[in-house]
Amino acid sequence: RFSTKPHFSCSPANPARSNLRKEKSRNAARSRRGKENFEFFELAKMLPLPGAITSQLDKASVIRLTISYLHMRTFASQGDPPWSPLLEGDNNCNKVRRSSHSLATDMFEQHLGAHLLQSLDGFVFVVSQEGRFLYISETVSIYLGLSQVELTGSSVFDYIHPADHVEMAERLGIRPHLRAEAGCHTAPESASSSASTSSLAGTPEPAPSSPHSSADDPPERGFFIRMKSTLTKRGLHVKSSGYKVIHVTGRIRCRPALVPGSAHSVRRPMGLVALAHTLPPSTLNEVRMESHMFVFRVNMDLQVTYCENR
């Protein structure tokens, strides 16, 4: 009997050709990854960070820090007054001093920023109008246990207490659409000490209100907020974050902008430049007693169990 079904025979050349195509595809993908990694490595080296830090960054962190650095350059150059004299065409900055102590002066000015940051009792940060950290000094790790790389480019609302979101938005000159949308819920104090870093990760940012600052609104800012901290009383890092009270003092940085159809200019807010001081949690023994104050103690039923003679 003869079968009517056709018979096919695999040629030994077909598997070899398929393996060759797969090998070429793997080599092309490997080459693309190598070129991409090289470009990210070169981009990380251009960031104003130590090489020990840039060599450990992932691709998402490199992009986030690069965008923040570019925004910070715009923030420094377009504000009023400008921070960089070179951008104003001042040629005096290019002159080389010829004096006996020029070398020592140049070395001090080169490391002046690091000296000032170490001498401050706190840390410095710059927040954009949208509420993102454009810059924060590396000394933030001393007071909050958080890293400079982690905070730069992140939203400030992810690192402050939910009950302080409205306060921060008002100080930045932005107004949330709704309190619920901005995540500005009043959380109980008992939950604040055990909140994790991811508890505010999904907090949406408030939408900016009027882009122009009013004339009667002073640029100086001074307020208190609670920021996340991974430090314990002994200075040890913990996985779960609590909160520390931060005293923020600074000013809103603005830039002049022309009003469409008019020759008048207004000041457009760009963000907040501030110095942050951490306040230690005070105990009853640390409270300063004034002459018009007295101490009393109550139990859980609100019955007075002790009261001073005064």
Side-chain angles (χ1 to χ4, degrees), residues 144 224-227 243-248 277-281:
L144 298 180
F224 294 88
I225 57 174
R226 287 160 288 183
M227 292 192 66
Y243 289 91
K244 274 191 175 182
V245 180
I246 305 296
H247 183 204
V248 180
H277 297 273
T278 59
L279 301 183

Side-chain angles (χ1 to χ4, degrees), residues 212 255-268:
H212 308 299
R255 65 178 177 183
L258 293 177
V259 178
S262 175
H264 300 284
S265 63
V266 295
R267 297 177 61 85
R268 182 188 298 271

Side-chain angles (χ1 to χ4, degrees), residues 43-218:
L43 181 60
K45 290 197 304 184
M46 300 173 64
L47 294 174
L49 294 171
I53 296 179
T54 57
S55 60
Q56 304 295 327
L57 296 176
D58 56 1
K59 296 178 182 179
S61 298
V62 172
I63 295 298
R64 173 170 51 85
L65 293 174
T66 302
I67 294 175
S68 299
Y69 176 67
L70 295 177
H71 283 309
M72 187 63 192
R73 285 175 59 92
T74 304
F75 186 88
S77 61
Q78 296 185 2
D80 185 28
W83 287 352
S84 178
L86 292 177
L87 299 176
E88 293 297 309
D90 189 359
N91 296 325
N92 295 329
C93 298
N94 297 327
K95 295 181 180 179
V96 180
R97 289 182 293 271
R98 304 298 182 184
S99 60
S100 58
H101 60 283
S102 61
L103 180 60
T105 304
D106 292 341
M107 290 298 296
F108 178 77
E109 291 184 353
Q110 182 180 357
H111 303 283
L112 178 61
H115 295 324
L116 292 177
L117 291 176
Q118 294 297 330
S119 61
L120 290 175
D121 185 18
F123 56 93
V124 179
F125 66 89
V126 177
V127 178
S128 67
Q129 179 68 12
E130 293 77 20
R132 292 194 173 273
F133 286 108
L134 298 182
Y135 169 80
I136 189 166
S137 60
E138 64 273 13
T139 51
V140 67
S141 60
I142 302 176
Y143 302 97
L144 298 180
L146 304 174
S147 65
Q148 180 188 36
V149 175
E150 175 188 356
L151 292 172
T152 304
S154 303
S155 175
V156 66
F157 298 99
D158 292 342
Y159 294 92
I160 63 177
H161 195 276
D164 297 334
H165 284 190
V166 174
E167 173 77 10
M168 190 69 189
E170 291 177 352
R171 299 299 180 174
L172 288 175
I174 55 181
R175 182 181 55 204
H177 289 302
L178 294 172
R179 294 174 63 92
E181 291 183 4
C184 304
H185 303 289
T186 303
E189 295 297 329
S190 59
S192 64
S193 59
S194 60
S196 61
T197 306
S198 60
S199 61
L200 298 180
T203 302
E205 298 175 13
S209 59
S210 175
H212 308 299
S213 61
S214 58
D216 55 349
D217 187 15

Side-chain angles (χ1 to χ4, degrees), residues 21-39:
R21 286 197 298 266
K22 292 180 180 179
E23 185 65 23
K24 288 183 178 180
S25 178
R26 285 194 294 265
N27 292 336
R30 191 180 300 110
S31 176
R32 287 194 300 269
R33 288 194 300 268
K35 293 179 180 179
E36 180 182 349
N37 293 335
F38 177 77
E39 294 298 333

